[in-house]
Amino acid sequence: MTGTTPRGRAGRLLLVRHAQTVWHRENRYAGARTDPALTAAGERQTGELARAAVAEAVQVVVSSPLGRAVRTARPAAEAVGTGIELEPGLREADFGELEGRTRQEADPELVRRFVADPVAHPFPGAEPPGEAADRAVAALRAVVARHGDRTVLVVAHSTVLRLALCRLLGLPLRHYRRLFPRIENVALTEIALPADHAAPAALLALNRTVPTP
């Protein structure tokens, strides 16, 4: 699925979910208002991503402003000799009442409705998925507008990346959890955005494993 950017498309974007955090083991929701630290495994993953950035000839590193994303992006930026551009629109979705909690700690009926249709039934107090998708897509388009055909590494978060992928590929948001059941930590997902915003993006790679030493 990898290769050169298709004719008529601008920008090469490598999308990455941040490294593993201490909440992964318990599967707690970490959204826009919570920022758990990386695990020891997550710290090692940042080094793996740095090596991948060099191998992919990354020229620009863009990150969500949340600490777990910035910590993941920093070694990659240092490895390719650049700074980190913070993009607020790439922050994770706000999960409302589920921030910092697991599904087992939530009302089972709320969980059932969310699983059936997360767009129609987000958790109470949560950011509407459509709004999260729109801001993430706008952020990615802004990155392309700034950097043209340069190779850009974008470090963000699982849910907001899945929502953005659905929006960019013309897929129904309500199925984002089924269509993209998982974005792996520090794996590379590559897309190409067309100049015509009405046209769908191209998905060139999904969850491509980064090299290990």
Side-chain angles (χ1 to χ4, degrees):
M1 295 178 70
T2 59
T4 58
T5 302
R7 181 179 297 177
R9 296 181 184 270
R12 182 182 183 222
L13 296 181
L14 301 173
L15 309 180
V16 173
R17 179 189 183 188
H18 62 77
Q20 185 188 80
T21 74
V22 295
W23 282 1
H24 275 74
R25 186 176 297 106
E26 298 175 344
N27 202 25
R28 293 188 179 276
Y29 279 88
R33 290 182 286 130
T34 50
D35 208 6
L38 300 187
T39 63
E43 294 289 351
R44 291 191 294 272
Q45 288 172 344
T46 69
E48 295 168 9
L49 182 60
R51 289 187 287 276
V54 173
E56 296 290 334
V58 165
Q59 299 163 287
V60 178
V61 177
V62 178
S63 176
S64 153
L66 294 178
R68 56 192 183 272
V70 175
R71 178 67 191 89
T72 301
R74 186 176 297 119
E78 293 173 351
V80 299
T82 190
I84 300 173
E85 294 184 12
L86 298 183
E87 190 62 59
L90 295 173
R91 68 188 183 280
E92 181 60 297
D94 189 322
F95 297 115
E97 291 184 5
L98 263 288
E99 289 272 346
R101 302 169 66 190
T102 68
R103 287 192 198 171
Q104 290 70 34
E105 296 169 340
D107 182 336
E109 178 60 17
L110 291 178
V111 173
R112 186 195 67 76
R113 296 173 66 193
F114 172 80
V115 171
D117 188 341
V119 173
H121 304 292
F123 294 119
E127 179 180 17
E131 293 182 11
D134 288 344
R135 67 169 165 78
V137 167
L140 292 174
R141 292 200 184 281
V143 168
V144 171
R146 290 197 301 270
H147 297 295
D149 292 328
R150 302 179 80 189
T151 298
V152 183
L153 179 70
V154 176
V155 182
H157 309 269
S158 176
T159 294
V160 79
L161 286 176
R162 290 184 290 167
L163 289 169
L165 286 171
C166 282
R167 187 72 95 206
L168 289 168
L169 297 170
L171 302 172
L173 285 185
R174 69 187 300 265
H175 296 313
Y176 80 88
R177 299 179 65 257
R178 179 172 63 82
L179 295 170
F180 298 103
R182 188 167 180 83
I183 299 292
E184 301 291 346
N185 298 107
V186 305
L188 302 177
T189 292
E190 182 174 353
I191 62 171
L193 301 185
D196 179 3
H197 291 190
L203 180 61
L204 306 180
L206 179 67
N207 282 330
R208 181 156 56 87
T209 304
V210 302
T212 54

